[in-house]
Amino acid sequence: MATMNSMVKDAVLLYRQCPRKIKLIVPALAVAMSIALTLDVNPSTVSGIQFLGFKRLILTFAVSCGLSFYAAIRLQRRTEKGALISVPTLACSLLYSAFMLLGQALQASSSFAILYLDSLHVAWAVFRYLGLTCFTYCLLSALMDICRAARAGDAQDKSPWPTKLPRTILFTLIIAASWLFWFILFYPGAVPTDTARQLAQFFGTGNTVLDNHFPYFTSLVLGSIYRLGMMLTSDCVISIALLALLQLFFGSIIFGTVVKWVDELGAPRWVTFLSLAFCAGFPLFSSHAITISKDFLHACLVSLFSLQVLLRWVYRDSATTPPIASWHALVLVAILVALTRNNGVFISIPTLLVLAIATKSKKGIGSFAISLLCIVVWQTVVLPYAHVQPGEAVEALSAPSQIVGRALSLNHPLTEEERRILIDSIHVDFDALAEAYNPQLADGMKGSLNTGDDLDVPAFLSASLSIALRHPGDALAAILNTTYGFWYPFNLGTYWQAEGAPYWCSPDDAYGLLGTWFTDHEFVALWSAEHADLITTLQNLRINTSVLTFLYRPGTYTWILLFCLCASFSEKRHRSATAICILPFLLLMATLLAGPCSSIRYSLPFIFSLPIFLLLLFGRLERPVPST
């Protein structure tokens, strides 16, 4: 408390010493930021702009005054050092403010048009953008100073843990014990729709075609384990329990390892405890750990891969390297990342190449070449030999199909050539095509397209590009509507109803085909009825809690990721380590922005890697000194 009072007194004294022009910043910034934060987009009003009330105005004015006061003091300090503003902080503030302004417009009206309806709306949008930028710059600066104070004020207490058990085993057991509680509650685990179809493809039931739409590697692994369970027990429920338990322990080992290295690389002890509590206690971990899916496996591997990349960089000049950070281990995990989701190859392989170049390692270049070769052989030799067909091209056409759907829903005129191409590209009635358009989900439009050789992909892309060039604003809105939940944390994301808790695919689902290979149909109905109240509670926890709900939102973790980069480059602290560790997530985001929706399961790698982000913010990233 004495230290806090001293800091306040020093801040007041420094403010009094500020020149008059800097002192004038406080009221000007406070007023501008307050107005910007109390006006919102609302298409239902006549002006399209809504005042959020005097209570909001008073609250934001109080916060803005505090931040403006702090900004004036910080500006004085930077002026004394000869640097007026921090360029990385300003760049990040501009980006955050753009996310806010565009995200609010999309959430309110699925369009950007309200931002440029007339000169008044353009002026309001510019003013609000500048006000948000000022507010964000002040807030980011304050948060970075708080992080710096937390690092400096921490005693770095690295006293021995109260057990002789190795930390990796200790943390793994704590996480596994917590997840096992949820496994018992939801016994035997859950099989969602995509996994049900994967297993149907594996067993060749329901007239399914064996393809790589869902990565065949995960179908092979899950199907083999389920088959082994059936051979040992002849009980489909126990076989599902076996799958869930193996997945649960796989995840707990990975996150036990992550938390161990958070502690090992010099993070304050409270960061270690927070990371352990997050992995063990946040319901999204346990819910997905007992929900059998490729998404959980992929998220675990991406988190582990980013940790390996960071460790490889930290130990780049060391004579000894921990086994987890060896190039052999990196190759193995990079290949698994590429095989567990189809976009994984765009994450792990480029990262390996950049890491090899950055560390100037010949072994790294060789590791990159080996990983790439293994993926190419898998795709061009193994899959054809196993009679696995490639995934449909329509899966990569979310953006162009949404552009077409939005143009039709808004009754934009088409040229004769565009109309002909679209009619040739679909298997539904053209006059009903606009009804398939959903601004937040591309599945309806993609599902209307022909498949295989019946779809002329270049012609369809040409038609959608032609439409986009005539209506660029609507085209951009069509693309971002499906994925803005990844970068706007005030959006829950698509599919939120089913992604906050375990759920079973219905045996009657014509797509999942669970009933074709899982014989105990009555069990699914009984399980769903028995756990209905608990599932509802978990969903409400995600939707209706004012603070906790932000931990479920994909955009929250994108903002934390950007803050890690901002803090690192603003403070010139661990810039290379931060950039190379975050590279896999930036590549992942690039693939997600071209996807069909902002599903939370797609963003699990971001959520599961929060301990690594905290390590980048608070850790020393120094190689631990061997104990003697």
Side-chain angles (χ1 to χ4, degrees), residues 21 161 181 256 292 527 601:
K21 61 182 180 180
W161 287 83
F181 170 75
I292 302 160
W527 186 95
R601 61 190 175 92

Side-chain angles (χ1 to χ4, degrees), residues 311-322:
L311 288 173
R312 185 69 249 177
W313 178 261
V314 170
Y315 282 88
R316 65 191 182 281
D317 299 324
S318 175
T320 59
T321 304

Side-chain angles (χ1 to χ4, degrees), residues 340-403:
T340 47
R341 277 199 69 89
N342 290 330
N343 63 339
V345 66
F346 303 109
I347 301 169
S348 60
I349 304 303
T351 301
L352 268 186
L353 177 60
V354 172
L355 179 62
I357 295 173
T359 56
K360 301 177 182 179
S361 170
K362 293 182 179 179
K363 287 185 177 180
I365 296 295
S367 300
F368 160 75
I370 291 171
S371 301
L372 182 60
L373 178 63
C374 289
I375 299 302
V376 171
V377 169
W378 175 265
Q379 294 284 349
T380 60
V381 178
V382 177
L383 292 184
Y385 180 79
H387 304 292
V388 179
Q389 298 181 12
E392 289 292 345
V394 296
E395 294 304 316
L397 299 179
S398 294
S401 64
Q402 287 296 88
I403 292 173

Side-chain angles (χ1 to χ4, degrees), residues 93-243:
S93 302
L94 291 169
L95 188 58
Y96 278 138
S97 301
F99 285 166
M100 282 291 294
L101 199 64
L102 298 178
Q104 286 173 341
L106 290 173
Q107 184 145 295
S109 63
S110 298
S111 171
F112 299 133
I114 198 168
L115 300 177
Y116 53 84
L117 283 176
D118 50 41
S119 57
L120 176 63
H121 283 79
V122 171
W124 166 79
V126 171
F127 173 79
R128 191 154 197 264
Y129 181 62
L130 294 177
L132 286 171
T133 300
C134 292
F135 181 86
T136 308
Y137 184 90
C138 296
L139 183 60
L140 290 178
S141 300
L143 288 175
M144 281 186 282
D145 280 350
I146 291 172
C147 291
R148 189 182 302 113
R151 291 193 298 268
D154 188 84
Q156 297 295 344
D157 175 23
K158 291 299 177 182
S159 56
W161 287 83
T163 175
K164 294 183 178 180
L165 207 60
R167 279 170 294 171
T168 302
I169 297 177
L170 174 65
F171 298 151
T172 296
L173 290 177
I174 292 173
I175 294 171
S178 175
W179 292 0
L180 280 171
F181 170 75
W182 291 89
F183 172 75
I184 295 170
L185 279 181
F186 286 100
Y187 179 85
V191 180
T193 303
D194 286 359
T195 305
R197 186 169 183 85
Q198 281 187 267
L199 291 176
Q201 289 181 332
F202 176 81
F203 291 113
T205 59
N207 295 320
T208 55
V209 176
L210 188 60
D211 61 25
N212 202 43
H213 170 63
F214 301 121
Y216 176 67
F217 177 79
T218 56
S219 302
L220 185 63
V221 171
L222 298 177
S224 299
I225 295 173
Y226 181 83
R227 175 173 283 169
L228 176 63
M230 291 295 291
M231 290 171 59
L232 295 175
T233 66
S234 300
D235 189 318
C236 56
V237 174
I238 295 179
S239 299
I240 293 298
L242 175 64
L243 267 172

Side-chain angles (χ1 to χ4, degrees), residues 187-189 191 237 503-508 514-515 518-533 535:
Y187 179 85
V191 180
V237 174
Y503 80 97
W504 274 80
C505 172
S506 169
D508 300 325
L514 176 72
F518 187 81
T519 55
D520 196 345
H521 298 180
E522 294 182 359
F523 173 83
V524 178
L526 291 173
W527 186 95
S528 299
E530 180 181 346
H531 297 90
D533 292 340
I535 290 173

Side-chain angles (χ1 to χ4, degrees), residues 478-543:
I479 295 171
L480 294 183
N481 256 306
T482 56
T483 55
Y484 76 97
F486 288 128
W487 45 264
Y488 182 62
F490 301 94
N491 177 269
L492 279 171
T494 317
Y495 289 155
W496 59 265
Q497 299 94 335
E499 292 188 307
Y503 80 97
W504 274 80
C505 172
S506 169
D508 300 325
D509 189 317
Y511 181 79
L513 297 170
L514 176 72
T516 64
W517 58 268
F518 187 81
T519 55
D520 196 345
H521 298 180
E522 294 182 359
F523 173 83
V524 178
L526 291 173
W527 186 95
S528 299
E530 180 181 346
H531 297 90
D533 292 340
L534 185 55
I535 290 173
T536 301
T537 300
L538 285 176
Q539 295 291 10
N540 288 336
L541 189 67
R542 179 186 176 195
I543 299 167

Side-chain angles (χ1 to χ4, degrees), residues 285-297:
F285 277 86
S286 48
S287 293
H288 282 272
I290 61 175
T291 300
I292 302 160
S293 73
K294 64 186 184 305
D295 302 298
F296 177 82
L297 299 174

